[in-house]
Amino acid sequence: MSVRETQVVRELSHYIYEHPDEQMALMPVYDAARDHAQRGTCTHSRRCPLVTTGAVVIDERNCVLSLRYQGAFALAEAEPEEQDDSLRGAALRLLAEAVGIRDVWTDPDSEGPCLIDVTRAGLHTYGPRLRIGFRYLFRAHSGAVAPMVIEAGTAAWMPLGEIGIPSVRDRLHGHLVGAR
C-alpha cells in the first residue's frame, strides 16, 4: 500500500487533537499505526486494524451522495490501493471510479478527515480485523453526478436524516449547522 503508515499516524494525531473526546477510542489504533510506522512492517500477525477511506459528498441541498452496495445505499468506502498517495486521494479515486465524479471541493479547514470511525471485527465485511474508517468531507453540485448514474440506481443523493451511520449523520449535522 502506497499510503504510508506515517500518513495514517499524522491523520490520527491531528484528528485526536481536534476531537479530544474521541481519544480513548482511537488510542489503540493510533498505537498500532505508530508501531507500524516505526518498525516499517506489521508485527501484529495481521491482527492490526484495517484502514479504509471514504468520501462523504454533500450537495447544495445538503443531501449526501450514497452508492448502491449489496442492494442498499451506503457511503463510499474502500481500502487504499497501491496507486493511492494519500487517504484523501484514495477517497477521491473511489468517487471517480464509482460514479465518475471529479468536480468536488472541500470547505475551508476541512482538509483532514471529518470523522474517523472504528468498527469491531464481525460488524463489517472486511474480515476478522478491527476496521478504522477515515471519512473525508467534500462538496459537489448534485449535477456533478451524471443523470444516467442516478437513473440507473448506481448512486443517489440521500437526505442527511436517511444516513444509517449515526456517527456520520451527527458529525455532518454539526458541520452543516456550523458546530464542529
Side-chain angles (χ1 to χ4, degrees):
M1 168 168 86
S2 293
V3 174
R4 297 173 39 135
E5 284 81 6
T6 54
Q7 292 172 328
V8 173
V9 170
R10 188 171 44 249
E11 292 281 20
L12 277 166
S13 180
H14 180 73
Y15 183 85
I16 289 169
Y17 176 78
E18 293 287 322
H19 305 278
D21 54 318
E22 298 178 40
Q23 180 176 359
M24 291 299 290
L26 293 175
M27 281 313 290
V29 174
Y30 175 84
D31 290 341
R34 193 184 65 209
D35 188 50
H36 276 223
Q38 289 174 343
R39 295 177 192 264
T41 186
C42 177
T43 59
H44 304 103
S45 302
R46 291 292 182 214
R47 292 182 322 241
C48 54
L50 173 74
V51 173
T52 65
T53 186
V56 179
V57 183
I58 301 173
D59 74 359
E60 66 277 5
R61 300 168 313 198
N62 292 331
C63 289
V64 181
L65 181 64
S66 298
L67 307 179
R68 170 98 39 213
Y69 178 73
Q70 295 182 348
F73 285 104
L75 296 175
E77 178 179 273
E79 293 179 65
E81 294 180 357
E82 195 64 38
Q83 73 267 22
D84 297 323
D85 60 353
S86 69
L87 292 167
R88 187 175 184 278
L92 289 170
R93 175 192 49 79
L94 175 62
L95 283 177
E97 289 176 358
V99 293
I101 188 171
R102 297 178 195 281
D103 297 328
V104 299
W105 66 91
T106 58
D107 290 329
D109 301 323
S110 294
E111 291 294 318
C114 68
L115 179 69
I116 298 177
D117 58 296
V118 178
T119 308
R120 292 185 323 219
L123 298 178
H124 57 75
T125 60
Y126 292 103
R129 296 164 37 192
L130 188 71
R131 181 206 132 284
I132 177 169
F134 289 78
R135 298 186 188 271
Y136 294 86
L137 181 61
F138 299 99
R139 290 283 195 157
H141 293 289
S142 56
V145 177
M148 63 186 213
V149 171
I150 301 292
E151 291 166 8
T154 305
W157 291 101
M158 309 293 283
L160 182 58
E162 292 183 25
I163 300 302
I165 307 167
S167 59
V168 173
R169 188 176 54 242
D170 294 346
R171 182 62 50 89
L172 289 176
H173 184 269
H175 180 78
L176 294 174
V177 296
R180 283 190 162 181

Coordinates of all heavy atoms in Angstrom, one line a residue, residues 122-176:
G122 N -16.4 -8.5 12.7 CA -17.7 -9.2 12.7 C -18.8 -8.3 12.4 O -19.9 -8.7 12.1
L123 N -18.6 -7.0 12.5 CA -19.6 -6.0 12.3 C -19.4 -5.2 10.9 O -20.1 -4.2 10.7 CB -19.7 -5.0 13.4 CG -20.1 -5.6 14.8 CD1 -20.1 -4.5 15.8 CD2 -21.4 -6.3 14.7
H124 N -18.5 -5.7 10.1 CA -18.2 -5.2 8.8 C -17.9 -6.3 7.9 O -17.7 -7.4 8.3 CB -17.1 -4.1 8.9 CG -15.8 -4.6 9.4 ND1 -14.9 -5.5 8.7 CD2 -15.2 -4.5 10.7 CE1 -13.9 -5.8 9.5 NE2 -14.0 -5.2 10.7
T125 N -17.7 -6.0 6.6 CA -17.5 -7.0 5.6 C -16.0 -7.2 5.2 O -15.7 -7.9 4.2 CB -18.3 -6.7 4.3 OG1 -17.8 -5.4 3.8 CG2 -19.7 -6.6 4.6
Y126 N -15.1 -6.6 6.0 CA -13.7 -6.6 5.6 C -12.9 -7.8 6.3 O -11.7 -7.8 6.1 CB -13.0 -5.3 6.0 CG -13.5 -4.1 5.1 CD1 -14.4 -3.2 5.6 CD2 -13.0 -4.0 3.8 CE1 -14.8 -2.2 4.8 CE2 -13.4 -3.0 3.0 CZ -14.3 -2.0 3.5 OH -14.8 -1.0 2.7
G127 N -13.5 -8.6 7.0 CA -12.8 -9.7 7.6 C -12.7 -9.7 9.1 O -13.4 -8.9 9.8
P128 N -11.7 -10.4 9.7 CA -11.7 -10.6 11.2 C -10.9 -9.5 11.9 O -10.6 -9.7 13.1 CB -11.0 -11.9 11.3 CG -10.1 -12.0 10.1 CD -10.8 -11.3 9.0
R129 N -10.6 -8.4 11.3 CA -9.8 -7.4 11.9 C -10.7 -6.1 12.3 O -11.7 -5.9 11.7 CB -8.7 -6.9 11.0 CG -7.7 -8.0 10.8 CD -6.8 -7.8 9.6 NE -6.3 -6.5 9.4 CZ -5.6 -6.2 8.3 NH1 -5.4 -7.0 7.3 NH2 -5.2 -4.9 8.2
L130 N -10.2 -5.4 13.3 CA -10.8 -4.1 13.6 C -10.7 -3.2 12.3 O -9.7 -3.2 11.7 CB -10.0 -3.5 14.7 CG -10.5 -2.2 15.4 CD1 -11.8 -2.6 16.2 CD2 -9.5 -1.7 16.3
R131 N -11.7 -2.5 12.0 CA -11.7 -1.6 10.8 C -11.7 -0.1 11.3 O -12.5 0.2 12.2 CB -13.0 -1.8 10.0 CG -13.0 -1.0 8.8 CD -14.5 -0.8 8.4 NE -14.9 0.6 8.1 CZ -15.1 1.5 9.0 NH1 -15.0 1.4 10.2 NH2 -15.5 2.7 8.6
I132 N -10.8 0.7 10.8 CA -10.8 2.1 11.1 C -11.0 2.8 9.7 O -10.3 2.6 8.8 CB -9.4 2.5 11.7 CG1 -9.4 4.0 11.9 CG2 -8.2 2.1 10.9 CD1 -8.3 4.5 12.8
G133 N -12.1 3.6 9.8 CA -12.5 4.3 8.6 C -12.2 5.8 8.6 O -12.7 6.5 9.6
F134 N -11.4 6.3 7.7 CA -11.2 7.7 7.6 C -12.2 8.3 6.6 O -12.2 7.9 5.4 CB -9.7 8.0 7.1 CG -8.7 7.6 8.1 CD1 -8.3 6.3 8.3 CD2 -8.0 8.6 8.8 CE1 -7.3 6.0 9.2 CE2 -7.0 8.3 9.7 CZ -6.7 7.0 9.9
R135 N -13.0 9.2 7.0 CA -14.1 9.8 6.2 C -13.8 11.2 5.9 O -13.6 12.0 6.9 CB -15.4 9.6 6.8 CG -15.8 8.1 7.0 CD -17.2 7.9 7.5 NE -17.5 6.6 7.8 CZ -17.9 5.6 7.0 NH1 -18.1 6.0 5.8 NH2 -18.2 4.4 7.4
Y136 N -13.7 11.6 4.6 CA -13.3 12.9 4.2 C -14.6 13.6 3.6 O -15.3 13.0 2.9 CB -12.2 12.9 3.2 CG -10.9 12.4 3.8 CD1 -10.6 11.0 3.9 CD2 -10.0 13.3 4.3 CE1 -9.5 10.6 4.4 CE2 -8.8 12.8 4.9 CZ -8.6 11.5 5.0 OH -7.4 11.0 5.6
L137 N -14.7 14.9 4.0 CA -15.9 15.6 3.6 C -15.6 16.4 2.3 O -14.6 17.2 2.3 CB -16.3 16.6 4.7 CG -17.5 17.4 4.5 CD1 -18.8 16.6 4.3 CD2 -17.7 18.4 5.7
F138 N -16.5 16.3 1.4 CA -16.4 17.1 0.1 C -17.7 17.7 -0.2 O -18.7 17.2 0.3 CB -16.0 16.1 -1.0 CG -14.6 15.5 -0.9 CD1 -14.6 14.2 -0.4 CD2 -13.5 16.1 -1.1 CE1 -13.3 13.5 -0.2 CE2 -12.2 15.5 -0.9 CZ -12.2 14.2 -0.5
R139 N -17.7 18.7 -1.0 CA -18.9 19.3 -1.5 C -18.9 19.1 -3.1 O -17.9 19.1 -3.7 CB -18.9 20.8 -1.3 CG -19.0 21.2 0.2 CD -20.5 21.0 0.6 NE -20.7 21.7 1.9 CZ -21.9 22.1 2.2 NH1 -22.9 21.9 1.4 NH2 -22.1 22.6 3.4
A140 N -20.1 19.1 -3.6 CA -20.3 19.0 -5.1 C -21.7 19.4 -5.4 O -22.6 19.3 -4.6 CB -20.1 17.5 -5.5
H141 N -21.9 19.9 -6.6 CA -23.2 20.2 -7.1 C -23.9 18.8 -7.4 O -23.2 17.9 -7.9 CB -23.2 21.1 -8.3 CG -22.7 22.4 -8.0 ND1 -23.4 23.3 -7.3 CD2 -21.5 23.0 -8.3 CE1 -22.7 24.4 -7.2 NE2 -21.5 24.3 -7.8
S142 N -25.2 18.7 -7.2 CA -25.9 17.5 -7.5 C -25.7 17.1 -9.0 O -25.7 15.9 -9.3 CB -27.4 17.6 -7.1 OG -28.0 18.7 -7.8
G143 N -25.6 18.0 -9.8 CA -25.4 17.7 -11.3 C -24.0 17.2 -11.6 O -23.8 16.8 -12.8
A144 N -23.1 17.1 -10.6 CA -21.8 16.6 -10.9 C -21.8 15.1 -11.1 O -20.9 14.5 -11.7 CB -20.8 16.9 -9.7
V145 N -22.9 14.4 -10.7 CA -23.0 13.0 -10.9 C -23.9 12.9 -12.2 O -25.0 13.5 -12.2 CB -23.7 12.3 -9.7 CG1 -24.0 10.8 -10.0 CG2 -22.8 12.4 -8.5
A146 N -23.5 12.2 -13.1 CA -24.2 12.1 -14.4 C -25.6 11.5 -14.1 O -25.8 10.6 -13.4 CB -23.5 11.1 -15.4
P147 N -26.6 12.2 -14.8 CA -28.0 11.7 -14.6 C -28.2 10.2 -14.8 O -29.0 9.6 -14.1 CB -28.8 12.6 -15.6 CG -28.0 13.8 -15.8 CD -26.5 13.3 -15.7
M148 N -27.5 9.6 -15.8 CA -27.7 8.2 -16.1 C -27.2 7.4 -14.9 O -27.7 6.3 -14.7 CB -26.9 7.8 -17.4 CG -25.5 8.0 -17.3 SD -24.8 7.6 -19.0 CE -23.2 6.9 -18.5
V149 N -26.2 7.8 -14.1 CA -25.8 7.1 -12.9 C -26.9 7.1 -11.9 O -27.2 6.0 -11.3 CB -24.5 7.7 -12.4 CG1 -24.1 7.1 -11.0 CG2 -23.3 7.6 -13.3
I150 N -27.6 8.2 -11.7 CA -28.7 8.3 -10.8 C -29.8 7.5 -11.3 O -30.4 6.7 -10.5 CB -29.1 9.8 -10.6 CG1 -27.9 10.6 -10.0 CG2 -30.3 9.9 -9.7 CD1 -27.5 10.3 -8.6
E151 N -30.2 7.6 -12.5 CA -31.3 6.9 -13.1 C -31.1 5.4 -13.1 O -32.1 4.6 -12.9 CB -31.6 7.4 -14.6 CG -32.1 8.8 -14.6 CD -32.0 9.3 -16.1 OE1 -31.7 8.6 -17.0 OE2 -32.3 10.6 -16.2
A152 N -29.9 4.9 -13.2 CA -29.6 3.5 -13.2 C -29.6 3.0 -11.8 O -29.6 1.7 -11.6 CB -28.2 3.2 -13.8
G153 N -29.7 3.8 -10.8 CA -29.7 3.4 -9.4 C -28.4 3.1 -8.8 O -28.3 2.5 -7.8
T154 N -27.3 3.5 -9.5 CA -25.9 3.2 -9.0 C -25.6 4.1 -7.8 O -24.8 3.8 -7.0 CB -24.9 3.4 -10.2 OG1 -25.3 2.6 -11.2 CG2 -23.5 3.1 -9.7
A155 N -26.2 5.3 -7.9 CA -26.0 6.3 -6.8 C -27.2 7.1 -6.6 O -28.1 7.1 -7.4 CB -24.8 7.2 -7.2
A156 N -27.3 7.8 -5.4 CA -28.5 8.6 -5.1 C -28.0 9.7 -4.1 O -27.1 9.5 -3.4 CB -29.6 7.8 -4.5
W157 N -28.7 10.8 -4.2 CA -28.5 11.9 -3.2 C -29.5 11.7 -2.1 O -30.7 11.8 -2.3 CB -28.7 13.3 -3.9 CG -27.6 13.6 -4.8 CD1 -27.6 13.5 -6.2 CD2 -26.3 14.0 -4.5 NE1 -26.4 13.9 -6.7 CE2 -25.5 14.2 -5.7 CE3 -25.6 14.3 -3.3 CZ2 -24.2 14.7 -5.7 CZ3 -24.3 14.7 -3.3 CH2 -23.6 14.9 -4.5
M158 N -29.1 11.3 -0.9 CA -29.9 11.0 0.2 C -30.0 12.1 1.2 O -29.0 12.8 1.5 CB -29.4 9.7 0.9 CG -29.1 8.5 0.1 SD -30.5 7.8 -0.7 CE -31.1 6.9 0.7
P159 N -31.2 12.4 1.7 CA -31.3 13.4 2.8 C -30.4 13.0 4.0 O -30.3 11.8 4.3 CB -32.8 13.4 3.2 CG -33.5 12.8 2.0 CD -32.5 11.8 1.4
L160 N -29.9 13.9 4.7 CA -29.0 13.6 5.8 C -29.6 12.7 6.8 O -29.0 11.8 7.3 CB -28.6 14.9 6.5 CG -27.6 14.8 7.6 CD1 -26.3 14.1 7.2 CD2 -27.3 16.2 8.2
G161 N -30.9 12.9 7.1 CA -31.6 12.0 8.1 C -31.7 10.6 7.7 O -31.9 9.7 8.6
E162 N -31.4 10.2 6.4 CA -31.5 8.8 6.0 C -30.2 8.1 6.0 O -30.1 7.0 5.7 CB -32.1 8.8 4.6 CG -33.6 9.2 4.5 CD -34.2 9.0 3.2 OE1 -33.7 8.2 2.4 OE2 -35.1 9.7 2.9
I163 N -29.1 8.8 6.4 CA -27.8 8.2 6.6 C -27.9 7.2 7.7 O -28.2 7.7 8.9 CB -26.7 9.3 6.7 CG1 -26.7 10.2 5.5 CG2 -25.3 8.6 6.9 CD1 -26.4 9.5 4.2
G164 N -27.6 6.0 7.5 CA -27.7 4.9 8.5 C -26.6 4.8 9.6 O -26.7 4.0 10.5
I165 N -25.6 5.6 9.5 CA -24.5 5.6 10.4 C -24.6 6.8 11.3 O -24.3 7.9 10.9 CB -23.1 5.6 9.7 CG1 -23.1 4.5 8.7 CG2 -22.0 5.4 10.7 CD1 -21.9 4.6 7.7
P166 N -25.1 6.6 12.6 CA -25.3 7.7 13.5 C -24.1 8.6 13.6 O -24.3 9.9 13.7 CB -25.7 7.1 14.8 CG -26.2 5.7 14.4 CD -25.4 5.3 13.2
S167 N -22.9 8.1 13.8 CA -21.8 9.0 14.0 C -21.5 9.9 12.8 O -21.2 11.1 12.9 CB -20.5 8.2 14.3 OG -20.2 7.3 13.2
V168 N -21.7 9.4 11.6 CA -21.6 10.2 10.4 C -22.7 11.2 10.3 O -22.5 12.4 10.1 CB -21.6 9.3 9.1 CG1 -21.6 10.2 7.8 CG2 -20.4 8.4 9.1
R169 N -23.9 10.8 10.5 CA -25.1 11.7 10.5 C -24.9 12.8 11.5 O -25.1 14.0 11.1 CB -26.4 10.9 10.7 CG -27.6 11.6 10.5 CD -28.9 10.8 10.7 NE -28.9 10.1 12.0 CZ -28.9 8.8 12.2 NH1 -28.9 8.0 11.2 NH2 -28.9 8.3 13.4
D170 N -24.5 12.5 12.7 CA -24.4 13.5 13.7 C -23.2 14.5 13.4 O -23.4 15.7 13.6 CB -24.1 12.9 15.1 CG -25.3 12.1 15.6 OD1 -26.4 12.2 15.0 OD2 -25.1 11.3 16.5
R171 N -22.1 14.0 12.9 CA -21.0 14.8 12.6 C -21.3 15.8 11.4 O -21.0 17.0 11.4 CB -19.8 14.0 12.2 CG -18.5 14.8 11.9 CD -17.9 15.6 13.1 NE -17.8 15.0 14.3 CZ -16.7 14.3 14.7 NH1 -15.7 14.2 14.0 NH2 -16.7 13.7 15.9
L172 N -22.0 15.2 10.4 CA -22.4 16.1 9.3 C -23.4 17.1 9.7 O -23.3 18.3 9.3 CB -23.0 15.2 8.2 CG -22.0 14.3 7.4 CD1 -22.8 13.5 6.4 CD2 -21.0 15.2 6.7
H173 N -24.4 16.7 10.5 CA -25.4 17.7 11.0 C -24.6 18.8 11.8 O -24.9 20.0 11.6 CB -26.4 17.0 12.0 CG -27.4 18.0 12.4 ND1 -27.4 18.7 13.6 CD2 -28.6 18.3 11.8 CE1 -28.4 19.4 13.7 NE2 -29.2 19.2 12.7
G174 N -23.7 18.5 12.6 CA -22.9 19.5 13.3 C -22.1 20.4 12.4 O -22.0 21.6 12.6
H175 N -21.6 19.8 11.4 CA -20.8 20.6 10.4 C -21.7 21.5 9.6 O -21.4 22.7 9.4 CB -20.1 19.6 9.4 CG -19.3 20.3 8.4 ND1 -18.0 20.9 8.7 CD2 -19.5 20.7 7.1 CE1 -17.6 21.5 7.6 NE2 -18.5 21.3 6.6
L176 N -22.9 21.0 9.2 CA -23.8 21.9 8.4 C -24.4 23.0 9.2 O -24.7 24.0 8.6 CB -24.9 21.0 7.8 CG -24.4 20.0 6.8 CD1 -25.5 19.1 6.3 CD2 -23.7 20.7 5.6

